[in-house]
Amino acid sequence: MTIKKVVIVGGGTAGWLAANHLGKALSYNDEVTVSLIESPDIPPIGVGEGTVPQIRKTLSSFGISETEFIRTCDVTFKQSIKFVNWMDKKEHGENNFFHHLFDMPSKFGEDLTAYWLNHNKGKMYGDMVSVQHSACEHNKAPKSITTPEYEGTLGYAYHLNAAKFAKLLAENAINKFSVEHVKATVTDVLLTDNGSIEALMTKELGKLEYDFYIDCTGFESVLLGKALKVPFVEKTTELLVNSALVVQVPTQEDDEIPPYTLATAHQAGWIWDIALTNRRGVGFVYSDNHMSDEEAKRKLDHYLEGNPFKLTYRKIPMKVGHREKFWHKNCVSLGLAQGFLEPLEATSILLTDFAASFLADRFPKSAENIPLLEKRFNHVMGYAWERVIDFVKLHYSLSDREDSQFWLDNKKKDTISDTLTARLDLWQQFSPQKEDFFTKFEVFDYDNYLYLLYGMNYKTDLPVLTANYYKKAEEHFTYAQSIAEQLNQRLPNHRELLNKIKKYGLQGV
Ligand SMILES: Cc1cc2nc3c(=O)[nH]c(=O)nc-3n(C[C@H](O)[C@H](O)[C@H](O)COP(=O)(O)OP(=O)(O)OC[C@H]3O[C@@H](n4cnc5c(N)ncnc54)[C@H](O)[C@@H]3O)c2cc1C
C-alpha cells in the first residue's frame, strides 16, 4: 500500500517542526499530503526556550528568514550555557562558574587542551581555548549587522518565545509546504487487526483516516503511548530532577541581555534564566524527592530577590524517560511524546529536530518499506537518547558538591551508565579525542565533553609535551588572545545588535 496521507497530531514545537521537515521533504510528490491536527482545547506546554546551534541549519533549510524569526519570536542570541555554582563553593568560591561554549575549542590551530592541562596560566579552560568566553563575559553579540543571515563570527543558537516560535513554524509549513491545518481533538484511536492505526476519532470532525501517523501530543503520547501501548522507560535512577517551577519576569527595554543561558545550581537541582528581548524566562528545576514544593518556591523567591512583582509560579511535573521504541507499525512519536529528560543543555528541541529530519530523509513510500525503516529509526534514536542521558548526567557526576543528599545521590555509581563510566576512566588517562565518539548520532560530541570536563576541573594525567607541540601551542595561545581582544572591540553589544536587526534587518542569504 502506497503511503499518501500523512498526519501529525499535535501543534506544539515538535508538531510544527515535524510539519516543516516532512512538508518540505514530501513536497516533490503531489500524491502525498501532510496534515497537522491540533486540539483547540489542549494548549502546548509553552516552555522550551533554549536551543542549540543545529537549529540555524534547520531554520535556514525551511526558508525562514533569520531577521523575521528574530523580530517575531523575541529572539536573543545564545552562545553558551554559563554554569554557576556547579562546583563546591568552599573549594572554588561563591559564584564559581564555567562556560559550555558553542564555538569549537582551539579553532585557530593546535589543540590547546594538553597545553592547558600543563600550564593553565590561571585561565579557565574555556577562556584559554576559545575567544568566545571573553565575548560572553563582555555581553557581545556573536556577529554584526553586516554578517549574512545564519552565519556567525562566533558559534551561536537562540533563546526564543516558544508560543511565537510554534506560530512562525506553523505559518511557514502551511504557506510554503502546503501542510493542512486541522483543528480537532482526538478522542479515540482505532486500530486494525494487525495493531496498526486505522483512523482517529475526533470530537469536532468525527472519523479521520490516514496512512501514516506522527504522534506529537506531548507528555500524553495519545497515539504511541496510550493507543499502541508502547511502554515508557523511566530514567529517574540516572536523572534525579523531576519538577520545575516556571515564571516569566518582565524586563526593561534597555536592560543588558546576557548572550548565554544562565544555569545556577542549588541544593536539589538548578535554575535556568533565559533573557529574551522583553522578559526573562526563569525555571527552578528540582527533585521533589530531595526538596519540597514549598521550599522550592521559597528558594525561587530568594533567587528573584523577593519576587517584587508578586509573580505566580507554574509547576510543571516532568516525566523523565522515553518510550521503549519510537516507531511502531505506522506510527512515529516525536517531541515530548517520544520522551523527555530535563531542560539541562536544551536537548529536547534538538532531539526532536534530529528525529524529524532523520524521518523526513528516509520517509517510507509504502507500508512494505516500514519494517526496515522502523528498525533503523529505533536503533538510531535509542542510541541518541542513551548518549544524551550520559551527557546530561555528566554535569552532575563531575560536580564535587557534597552539600546535600541530592548531590551525593547523583554520584552513586549505579546512577551512571557503563558507557559514561568507561569514558570517564579513559579520560583520566588521556584527554578526549574525536575518535572516542563512534557515530554521528552522538548528538553531543568531543567539543562539548571538553568544555564540560575541564570546565569542571576533571583530573586527567598530565600529557607529556614535545618541544614542537609546546612551541605551536604557545603561538596559538598568543594569537588567540589577540583575536579575543580584537573581537571585543569589533563585535557589537548584544542588545545593540538585536535593536539594529529589528530596525534594519540582517543581510539575506
Ligand atoms: C520545564 C521544561 C523546560 C523545558 N525547556 C526546554 C529548553 O530550554 N529547550 C528545549 O529544547 N526543550 C525544552 N523543553 C522541552 C520542550 O518544551 C519541548 O520539546 C517542546 O515544547 C515540544 O513539545 P511538544 O510539541 O512535544 O508538546 P506540547 O507543547 O505539549 O504540544 C502538544 C500538542 O499536542 C496537542 N494535543 C494533545 N492531545 C491532543 C489530542 N487528544 N488531540 C489533538 N491534539 C492534541 C496539543 O494541542 C498541543 O498542540 C522543556 C520542557 C519542560 C517540561
Side-chain angles (χ1 to χ4, degrees):
M1 184 200 76
T2 311
I3 294 174
K4 291 189 175 162
K5 291 179 75 185
V6 180
V7 70
I8 297 160
V9 185
T13 307
W16 286 114
L17 266 177
N20 280 278
H21 276 296
L22 291 176
K24 180 171 178 249
L26 302 175
S27 59
Y28 71 93
N29 188 342
D30 290 344
E31 288 199 336
V32 180
T33 61
V34 180
S35 307
L36 183 143
I37 299 181
E38 179 179 11
S39 166
D41 306 325
I42 309 168
I45 192 159
V47 281
E49 304 193 321
T51 59
V52 300
Q54 170 63 25
I55 195 78
R56 278 156 58 198
K57 200 166 150 231
T58 298
L59 294 180
S60 168
S61 77
F62 294 165
I64 293 177
S65 132
E66 189 178 31
T67 301
E68 188 196 351
F69 164 60
I70 290 172
R71 283 177 180 161
T72 53
C73 301
D74 309 330
V75 168
T76 58
F77 292 108
K78 172 181 172 187
Q79 301 185 59
S80 142
I81 303 172
K82 181 172 177 174
F83 291 92
V84 178
N85 288 338
W86 283 73
M87 301 297 282
D88 180 31
K89 291 184 202 171
K90 284 199 207 105
E91 185 74 20
H92 308 274
E94 186 72 45
N95 296 326
N96 61 73
F97 75 92
F98 70 96
H99 281 279
H100 174 192
L101 301 164
F102 288 162
D103 231 29
M104 285 300 283
S106 309
K107 78 172 182 184
F108 300 112
E110 203 67 34
D111 178 357
L112 289 173
T113 303
Y115 182 76
W116 179 81
L117 285 167
N118 277 280
H119 306 270
N120 66 39
K121 303 197 176 194
K123 274 192 176 288
M124 285 185 233
Y125 179 75
D127 196 14
M128 179 172 278
V129 301
S130 172
V131 296
Q132 195 164 35
H133 174 106
S134 175
C136 283
E137 287 299 299
H138 286 88
N139 267 344
K140 294 292 176 184
K143 63 199 282 178
S144 322
I145 190 72
T146 50
T147 317
E149 294 208 327
Y150 297 114
E151 288 180 22
T153 308
L154 300 172
Y156 69 91
Y158 313 98
H159 300 125
L160 50 85
N161 176 313
K164 292 183 180 178
F165 183 49
K167 188 163 173 277
L168 178 74
L169 289 174
E171 283 164 8
N172 199 67
I174 294 164
N175 298 331
K176 224 170 265 162
F177 306 126
S178 307
V179 172
E180 182 198 24
H181 189 189
V182 181
K183 294 211 171 139
T185 303
V186 174
T187 50
D188 199 8
V189 179
L190 308 182
L191 304 184
T192 62
D193 289 343
N194 82 356
S196 299
I197 299 181
E198 183 187 321
L200 306 172
M201 294 307 296
T202 63
K203 191 170 93 181
E204 297 80 357
L205 304 168
K207 187 173 171 183
L208 300 174
E209 281 179 75
Y210 301 91
D211 303 324
F212 200 87
Y213 297 79
I214 320 272
D215 183 355
C216 294
T217 56
F219 281 133
E220 288 299 303
S221 187
V222 176
L223 278 61
L224 195 82
K226 284 196 172 147
L228 296 178
K229 303 207 171 5
V230 172
F232 186 78
V233 183
E234 289 207 359
K235 290 291 170 186
T236 44
T237 312
E238 291 94 326
L239 300 175
L240 309 189
V241 299
N242 58 8
S243 301
L245 294 178
V246 302
V247 62
Q248 295 181 356
V249 183
T251 51
Q252 302 291 325
E253 237 179 54
D254 49 0
D255 281 353
E256 281 284 355
I257 303 176
Y260 47 77
T261 298
L262 196 58
T264 306
H266 61 75
Q267 280 154 310
W270 62 282
I271 306 167
W272 82 74
D273 197 333
I274 287 181
L276 301 185
T277 48
N278 53 353
R279 66 163 169 84
R280 284 156 63 200
V282 177
F284 190 93
V285 182
Y286 60 107
S287 151
D288 68 9
N289 295 312
H290 295 87
M291 184 180 274
S292 69
D293 292 351
E294 268 316 299
E295 199 182 348
K297 191 179 160 301
R298 275 200 306 278
K299 297 256 179 204
L300 181 53
D301 281 345
H302 178 71
Y303 181 81
L304 296 175
E305 293 166 351
N307 187 10
F309 301 111
K310 300 287 165 244
L311 303 164
T312 43
Y313 308 144
R314 173 161 76 110
K315 179 170 176 185
I316 305 184
M318 300 186 298
K319 208 169 164 184
V320 179
H322 56 74
R323 292 282 147 201
E324 192 178 271
K325 58 196 293 209
F326 316 99
W327 182 332
H328 182 65
K329 308 262 180 188
N330 61 345
C331 176
V332 170
S333 64
L334 296 172
L336 297 175
Q338 195 177 82
F340 183 63
L341 301 175
E342 63 142 295
L344 198 68
E345 294 284 352
T347 60
S348 183
I349 297 176
L350 166 68
L351 274 172
T352 306
D353 190 23
F354 169 73
S357 149
F358 192 76
L359 175 67
D361 279 350
R362 302 263 174 99
F363 195 79
K365 292 191 186 73
S366 72
E368 290 69 44
N369 298 147
I370 287 181
L372 178 71
L373 294 168
E374 174 184 335
K375 197 169 165 202
R376 179 172 171 269
F377 186 85
N378 285 329
H379 181 67
V380 167
M381 286 314 299
Y383 185 82
W385 274 97
E386 291 311 312
R387 298 290 74 79
V388 169
I389 293 169
D390 280 355
F391 189 64
V392 173
K393 182 68 191 182
L394 184 72
H395 300 64
Y396 296 100
S397 55
L398 290 180
S399 172
D400 61 355
R401 282 185 71 146
E402 295 190 340
D403 53 306
S404 67
Q405 199 54 45
F406 173 80
W407 292 98
L408 293 170
D409 285 349
N410 253 305
K411 271 211 256 302
K412 289 184 180 155
K413 288 213 175 338
D414 61 348
T415 70
I416 306 173
S417 79
D418 292 346
T419 309
L420 180 57
T421 304
R423 281 181 169 175
L424 286 171
D425 287 348
L426 176 69
W427 296 331
Q428 261 176 10
Q429 296 178 47
F430 308 95
S431 60
Q433 303 292 321
K434 285 203 173 100
E435 295 71 31
D436 298 342
F437 299 85
F438 297 120
T439 81
K440 62 185 264 203
F441 307 124
E442 289 280 343
V443 186
F444 290 98
D445 216 328
Y446 147 85
D447 48 320
N448 309 103
Y449 274 86
L450 281 179
Y451 283 127
L452 250 292
L453 287 168
Y454 299 123
M456 298 183 85
N457 294 326
Y458 192 66
K459 295 281 174 275
T460 299
D461 291 348
L462 289 187
V464 179
L465 306 187
T466 62
N468 189 28
Y469 168 82
Y470 187 80
K471 184 168 164 281
K472 281 192 191 159
E474 280 265 290
E475 281 166 15
H476 178 183
F477 172 64
T478 312
Y479 178 64
Q481 292 299 298
S482 71
I483 300 274
E485 276 164 34
Q486 283 171 33
L487 285 180
N488 284 339
Q489 303 289 327
R490 218 179 73 205
L491 286 171
N493 167 277
H494 188 198
R495 161 91 65 191
E496 194 184 293
L497 177 66
L498 292 165
N499 287 344
K500 266 196 190 165
I501 294 174
K502 287 212 168 123
K503 207 165 167 190
Y504 307 111
L506 288 161
Q507 250 180 63
V509 242

